[in-house]
Amino acid sequence: MQILIAGASGFLGQHLVPHLREAGHRVTPLVRRPPRPGEVRWDPTAGVLDGTVVAAADAVINLAGAGVGDKRWTGEYKKVLVDSRVDSTQTLARAIAAAPTRPKVLLNASAVGYYGDTGERAVDESSPAGEGFLADLCKVWEAATHPAEDAGTRVALMRTGFPLDRDAGLLKPLYLQFKLFAGGRMGSGRQYLPWISVPDWLAAVTFLLERDLSGPVNLTGPQPVTNAEFSAALARVLHRPNLLPVPGFALRAAVGEFGGEALASQRVLPAVLVREGFSFAHRTVDEALQQAVSSITQ
Protein backbone atom coordinates (compact mmCIF):
# COMPACT_ATOMS: atom_id res chain seq x y z
CA MET A 1 0.00 0.00 0.00
CA GLN A 2 0.86 3.66 -0.36
CA ILE A 3 0.35 4.94 3.19
CA LEU A 4 0.20 8.55 4.35
CA ILE A 5 0.99 8.92 8.06
CA ALA A 6 0.61 11.87 10.41
CA GLY A 7 2.42 11.78 13.74
CA ALA A 8 5.29 9.70 12.38
CA SER A 9 7.81 11.38 14.69
CA GLY A 10 5.97 10.43 17.87
CA PHE A 11 6.63 7.46 20.15
CA LEU A 12 4.38 5.01 18.30
CA GLY A 13 4.99 6.57 14.89
CA GLN A 14 8.73 5.93 15.19
CA HIS A 15 7.96 2.24 15.66
CA LEU A 16 5.22 2.09 13.03
CA VAL A 17 7.03 3.64 10.04
CA PRO A 18 9.86 1.06 9.89
CA HIS A 19 7.40 -1.74 10.70
CA LEU A 20 5.25 -0.84 7.70
CA ARG A 21 8.24 -0.38 5.40
CA GLU A 22 9.65 -3.76 6.41
CA ALA A 23 6.28 -5.24 5.44
CA GLY A 24 6.68 -3.78 1.93
CA HIS A 25 4.44 -0.73 2.21
CA ARG A 26 5.42 2.69 0.87
CA VAL A 27 5.14 5.22 3.68
CA THR A 28 4.97 9.01 3.31
CA PRO A 29 5.20 10.95 6.59
CA LEU A 30 3.44 14.30 6.93
CA VAL A 31 5.64 16.90 8.64
CA ARG A 32 5.28 20.53 9.71
CA ARG A 33 8.96 21.41 9.24
CA PRO A 34 10.69 21.69 5.85
CA PRO A 35 10.32 18.17 4.39
CA ARG A 36 13.14 15.76 3.67
CA PRO A 37 13.01 13.51 0.59
CA GLY A 38 10.00 11.20 0.86
CA GLU A 39 8.10 13.50 3.23
CA VAL A 40 5.27 15.97 2.61
CA ARG A 41 4.75 19.23 4.46
CA TRP A 42 1.34 20.15 5.84
CA ASP A 43 -0.17 22.68 8.25
CA PRO A 44 -3.03 21.10 10.21
CA THR A 45 -3.54 24.25 12.29
CA ALA A 46 -4.42 26.12 9.11
CA GLY A 47 -6.11 23.08 7.53
CA VAL A 48 -3.58 22.97 4.68
CA LEU A 49 -2.72 19.67 2.97
CA ASP A 50 -1.94 18.95 -0.68
CA GLY A 51 -4.97 17.04 -1.98
CA THR A 52 -2.95 15.25 -4.65
CA VAL A 53 -0.94 13.52 -1.92
CA VAL A 54 -4.13 12.27 -0.29
CA ALA A 55 -5.58 11.12 -3.62
CA ALA A 56 -2.44 9.04 -4.27
CA ALA A 57 -2.70 7.18 -0.95
CA ASP A 58 -4.34 3.80 -0.39
CA ALA A 59 -4.48 4.38 3.37
CA VAL A 60 -4.06 7.21 5.86
CA ILE A 61 -2.92 6.70 9.46
CA ASN A 62 -3.29 9.59 11.89
CA LEU A 63 -1.32 9.46 15.16
CA ALA A 64 -0.88 13.23 15.55
CA GLY A 65 -1.43 14.94 18.89
CA ALA A 66 0.46 16.60 21.73
CA GLY A 67 1.59 14.30 24.55
CA VAL A 68 -1.04 13.88 27.27
CA GLY A 69 1.54 13.49 30.04
CA ASP A 70 4.15 15.89 28.69
CA LYS A 71 3.09 18.98 30.67
CA ARG A 72 0.91 20.03 33.56
CA TRP A 73 -2.72 20.44 32.49
CA THR A 74 -3.17 24.17 32.53
CA GLY A 75 -6.16 25.60 30.67
CA GLU A 76 -3.79 26.57 27.88
CA TYR A 77 -2.24 23.12 27.57
CA LYS A 78 -5.62 21.37 27.64
CA LYS A 79 -6.54 23.49 24.62
CA VAL A 80 -3.32 22.33 22.93
CA LEU A 81 -4.22 18.69 23.64
CA VAL A 82 -7.62 19.10 22.00
CA ASP A 83 -6.62 21.33 19.09
CA SER A 84 -3.58 19.23 18.12
CA ARG A 85 -5.85 16.21 17.69
CA VAL A 86 -8.95 17.80 16.24
CA ASP A 87 -7.11 20.06 13.78
CA SER A 88 -5.04 17.21 12.35
CA THR A 89 -8.01 14.85 12.13
CA GLN A 90 -10.30 17.43 10.51
CA THR A 91 -7.62 18.38 8.00
CA LEU A 92 -7.11 14.76 6.97
CA ALA A 93 -10.80 13.84 6.95
CA ARG A 94 -11.77 16.86 4.86
CA ALA A 95 -8.91 16.26 2.42
CA ILE A 96 -10.01 12.63 2.05
CA ALA A 97 -13.61 13.70 1.43
CA ALA A 98 -12.51 16.22 -1.22
CA ALA A 99 -10.12 13.91 -3.05
CA PRO A 100 -11.19 12.74 -6.54
CA THR A 101 -9.78 9.31 -5.68
CA ARG A 102 -10.17 8.62 -1.99
CA PRO A 103 -8.00 6.37 0.21
CA LYS A 104 -9.71 3.14 1.12
CA VAL A 105 -9.15 3.50 4.85
CA LEU A 106 -8.38 6.03 7.57
CA LEU A 107 -6.94 4.59 10.78
CA ASN A 108 -7.32 7.36 13.34
CA ALA A 109 -5.79 7.32 16.79
CA SER A 110 -8.01 7.57 19.83
CA ALA A 111 -7.61 6.36 23.41
CA VAL A 112 -9.21 4.24 26.10
CA GLY A 113 -9.76 7.53 27.90
CA TYR A 114 -13.01 7.53 25.92
CA TYR A 115 -14.57 5.26 28.56
CA GLY A 116 -13.71 7.42 31.56
CA ASP A 117 -13.36 5.74 34.95
CA THR A 118 -15.05 2.33 34.68
CA GLY A 119 -14.16 1.06 38.16
CA GLU A 120 -14.33 -2.74 38.21
CA ARG A 121 -16.82 -2.82 35.33
CA ALA A 122 -15.42 -4.31 32.11
CA VAL A 123 -16.09 -2.30 28.95
CA ASP A 124 -15.65 -2.96 25.24
CA GLU A 125 -16.30 -1.11 21.99
CA SER A 126 -20.07 -1.23 22.51
CA SER A 127 -19.82 0.69 25.79
CA PRO A 128 -20.79 4.38 25.98
CA ALA A 129 -18.43 7.28 26.52
CA GLY A 130 -17.50 8.15 30.08
CA GLU A 131 -17.01 11.47 31.81
CA GLY A 132 -13.98 13.69 32.34
CA PHE A 133 -11.56 15.69 30.25
CA LEU A 134 -10.02 12.74 28.40
CA ALA A 135 -13.42 11.23 27.60
CA ASP A 136 -14.62 14.57 26.22
CA LEU A 137 -11.38 14.94 24.23
CA CYS A 138 -11.81 11.49 22.67
CA LYS A 139 -15.39 12.23 21.67
CA VAL A 140 -14.54 15.37 19.69
CA TRP A 141 -11.39 13.71 18.34
CA GLU A 142 -13.33 10.76 16.93
CA ALA A 143 -16.14 12.98 15.64
CA ALA A 144 -13.61 14.88 13.53
CA THR A 145 -13.28 11.82 11.26
CA HIS A 146 -16.91 12.11 10.07
CA PRO A 147 -16.19 13.88 6.73
CA ALA A 148 -14.06 10.91 5.60
CA GLU A 149 -16.62 8.38 6.80
CA ASP A 150 -19.50 10.27 5.18
CA ALA A 151 -17.56 10.28 1.89
CA GLY A 152 -17.32 6.49 1.90
CA THR A 153 -13.83 5.86 3.29
CA ARG A 154 -13.59 3.11 5.90
CA VAL A 155 -12.69 4.65 9.26
CA ALA A 156 -11.31 2.68 12.19
CA LEU A 157 -10.87 4.43 15.54
CA MET A 158 -7.88 2.98 17.39
CA ARG A 159 -8.64 3.35 21.10
CA THR A 160 -5.19 2.58 22.42
CA GLY A 161 -4.33 1.66 26.00
CA PHE A 162 -0.85 1.98 27.52
CA PRO A 163 1.81 0.63 25.10
CA LEU A 164 4.68 -0.82 27.11
CA ASP A 165 8.06 0.43 25.96
CA ARG A 166 11.19 0.85 28.05
CA ASP A 167 11.99 4.28 26.58
CA ALA A 168 8.62 6.03 26.57
CA GLY A 169 5.13 6.29 27.95
CA LEU A 170 3.96 4.79 31.22
CA LEU A 171 6.81 2.30 31.63
CA LYS A 172 9.74 4.72 31.35
CA PRO A 173 9.40 6.43 34.79
CA LEU A 174 8.19 3.25 36.47
CA TYR A 175 11.20 1.31 35.21
CA LEU A 176 13.55 3.84 36.79
CA GLN A 177 11.68 3.79 40.10
CA PHE A 178 11.77 0.02 40.35
CA LYS A 179 15.38 -0.15 39.21
CA LEU A 180 16.28 2.20 42.09
CA PHE A 181 14.41 -0.05 44.56
CA ALA A 182 11.72 2.65 44.92
CA GLY A 183 8.85 1.05 43.02
CA GLY A 184 5.32 0.37 44.10
CA ARG A 185 1.68 0.71 43.15
CA MET A 186 0.02 4.06 42.42
CA GLY A 187 -2.84 5.11 44.67
CA SER A 188 -4.99 2.29 46.00
CA GLY A 189 -3.72 -0.12 43.35
CA ARG A 190 -7.27 -1.32 42.71
CA GLN A 191 -7.68 0.67 39.49
CA TYR A 192 -7.44 -1.31 36.25
CA LEU A 193 -4.71 -0.52 33.74
CA PRO A 194 -5.28 -1.36 30.04
CA TRP A 195 -1.82 -2.25 28.72
CA ILE A 196 -0.61 -3.55 25.33
CA SER A 197 2.81 -4.62 24.09
CA VAL A 198 4.28 -2.50 21.31
CA PRO A 199 4.68 -5.52 18.97
CA ASP A 200 0.99 -6.34 19.46
CA TRP A 201 0.02 -2.71 18.83
CA LEU A 202 2.00 -2.73 15.57
CA ALA A 203 0.46 -6.04 14.53
CA ALA A 204 -3.01 -4.71 15.33
CA VAL A 205 -2.48 -1.67 13.09
CA THR A 206 -1.47 -3.97 10.23
CA PHE A 207 -4.51 -6.14 11.01
CA LEU A 208 -6.79 -3.09 10.71
CA LEU A 209 -5.19 -2.07 7.43
CA GLU A 210 -5.93 -5.46 5.93
CA ARG A 211 -9.33 -6.30 7.46
CA ASP A 212 -12.63 -4.69 6.55
CA LEU A 213 -13.24 -3.30 10.05
CA SER A 214 -14.63 0.11 10.88
CA GLY A 215 -15.70 2.01 13.98
CA PRO A 216 -14.00 1.81 17.38
CA VAL A 217 -11.38 -0.87 18.04
CA ASN A 218 -9.72 -1.23 21.44
CA LEU A 219 -5.97 -1.73 21.10
CA THR A 220 -5.30 -3.28 24.50
CA GLY A 221 -4.03 -6.58 25.80
CA PRO A 222 -6.58 -9.36 26.37
CA GLN A 223 -6.09 -9.47 30.15
CA PRO A 224 -6.32 -6.06 31.86
CA VAL A 225 -4.80 -5.99 35.34
CA THR A 226 -5.05 -3.74 38.36
CA ASN A 227 -2.29 -1.28 39.10
CA ALA A 228 -1.24 -3.43 42.05
CA GLU A 229 -0.99 -6.49 39.78
CA PHE A 230 0.94 -4.47 37.19
CA SER A 231 3.41 -3.26 39.83
CA ALA A 232 3.88 -6.79 41.13
CA ALA A 233 4.53 -8.04 37.59
CA LEU A 234 7.09 -5.32 36.94
CA ALA A 235 8.82 -6.16 40.20
CA ARG A 236 9.01 -9.81 39.15
CA VAL A 237 10.40 -9.01 35.73
CA LEU A 238 13.02 -6.62 37.11
CA HIS A 239 13.79 -8.71 40.22
CA ARG A 240 13.10 -5.76 42.48
CA PRO A 241 10.92 -5.21 45.55
CA ASN A 242 7.43 -3.73 45.28
CA LEU A 243 7.34 -1.81 48.53
CA LEU A 244 6.88 1.95 48.09
CA PRO A 245 3.41 2.95 46.90
CA VAL A 246 2.78 6.43 45.54
CA PRO A 247 -0.24 7.89 47.40
CA GLY A 248 -2.95 9.35 45.21
CA PHE A 249 -2.73 12.76 46.89
CA ALA A 250 1.00 12.92 46.18
CA LEU A 251 0.48 12.14 42.50
CA ARG A 252 -2.22 14.80 42.22
CA ALA A 253 0.00 17.32 43.97
CA ALA A 254 2.89 16.54 41.63
CA VAL A 255 1.12 16.68 38.27
CA GLY A 256 -2.28 18.25 38.95
CA GLU A 257 -5.42 17.18 37.10
CA PHE A 258 -3.55 14.60 35.01
CA GLY A 259 -2.77 12.78 38.25
CA GLY A 260 -6.47 12.27 38.87
CA GLU A 261 -6.97 10.89 35.37
CA ALA A 262 -3.92 8.65 35.77
CA LEU A 263 -5.57 7.06 38.81
CA ALA A 264 -8.76 6.25 36.90
CA SER A 265 -9.71 2.59 36.55
CA GLN A 266 -10.22 1.38 32.98
CA ARG A 267 -11.03 -2.31 32.61
CA VAL A 268 -11.01 -2.24 28.81
CA LEU A 269 -11.36 -5.40 26.71
CA PRO A 270 -10.29 -5.74 23.02
CA ALA A 271 -13.55 -7.39 22.01
CA VAL A 272 -13.32 -6.55 18.30
CA LEU A 273 -9.78 -7.87 17.91
CA VAL A 274 -10.67 -11.07 19.78
CA ARG A 275 -13.86 -11.57 17.76
CA GLU A 276 -11.99 -11.13 14.48
CA GLY A 277 -9.32 -13.67 15.38
CA PHE A 278 -6.37 -11.37 16.08
CA SER A 279 -3.49 -13.33 17.60
CA PHE A 280 -1.75 -11.62 20.53
CA ALA A 281 1.95 -12.34 20.85
CA HIS A 282 1.87 -11.19 24.49
CA ARG A 283 -1.33 -12.26 26.21
CA THR A 284 -0.28 -11.52 29.80
CA VAL A 285 1.22 -8.42 31.34
CA ASP A 286 4.25 -10.44 32.47
CA GLU A 287 4.95 -11.43 28.86
CA ALA A 288 4.51 -7.85 27.65
CA LEU A 289 6.77 -6.41 30.36
CA GLN A 290 9.42 -9.05 29.74
CA GLN A 291 9.41 -8.13 26.05
CA ALA A 292 9.61 -4.42 26.85
CA VAL A 293 12.55 -4.54 29.27
CA SER A 294 14.43 -7.71 28.25
CA SER A 295 17.34 -5.88 26.62
CA ILE A 296 18.06 -3.75 29.71
CA THR A 297 17.73 -6.25 32.53
CA GLN A 298 20.98 -8.01 31.86
Side-chain angles (χ1 to χ4, degrees), residues 100-122:
T101 304
R102 287 186 292 276
K104 297 179 179 65
V105 59
L106 167 62
L107 302 186
N108 206 80
S110 185
V112 294
Y114 176 91
Y115 302 105
D117 190 332
T118 74
E120 295 187 358
R121 175 174 54 92

Side-chain angles (χ1 to χ4, degrees), residues 161-240:
F162 294 97
L164 300 181
D165 185 276
R166 67 179 186 239
D167 296 323
L170 172 74
L171 188 56
K172 183 177 180 179
L174 294 180
Y175 167 77
L176 179 60
Q177 290 173 0
F178 274 87
K179 204 67 176 171
L180 295 175
F181 294 84
R185 59 173 170 76
M186 292 191 297
S188 69
R190 294 191 297 271
Q191 66 274 27
Y192 276 85
L193 189 154
W195 56 272
I196 187 170
S197 75
V198 170
D200 277 337
W201 185 87
L202 294 171
V205 174
T206 301
F207 189 82
L208 292 177
L209 280 174
E210 297 171 350
R211 297 295 184 99
D212 187 20
L213 295 172
S214 59
V217 182
N218 294 334
L219 271 58
T220 63
Q223 299 178 27
V225 295
T226 64
N227 185 269
E229 291 168 335
F230 182 88
S231 299
L234 184 56
R236 286 194 297 271
V237 168
L238 294 178
H239 307 291
R240 292 291 189 273

Side-chain angles (χ1 to χ4, degrees), residues 10 14 17 33 51 85 97-98 111 119 145-146 162 167 169 195 203 212 216 231 243-244 256 262-263 276:
Q14 290 183 57
V17 170
R33 53 172 170 72
R85 287 163 173 76
T145 65
H146 287 168
F162 294 97
D167 296 323
W195 56 272
D212 187 20
S231 299
L243 301 174
L244 298 174
L263 291 170
E276 296 298 322

Side-chain angles (χ1 to χ4, degrees), residues 64-95:
V68 170
D70 289 358
K71 296 182 181 180
R72 197 177 186 91
W73 284 7
T74 62
E76 181 180 0
Y77 193 62
K78 286 167 78 171
K79 186 176 186 303
V80 169
L81 292 174
V82 175
D83 290 350
S84 63
R85 287 163 173 76
V86 173
D87 289 349
S88 61
T89 304
Q90 285 183 339
T91 299
L92 287 166
R94 289 171 178 170

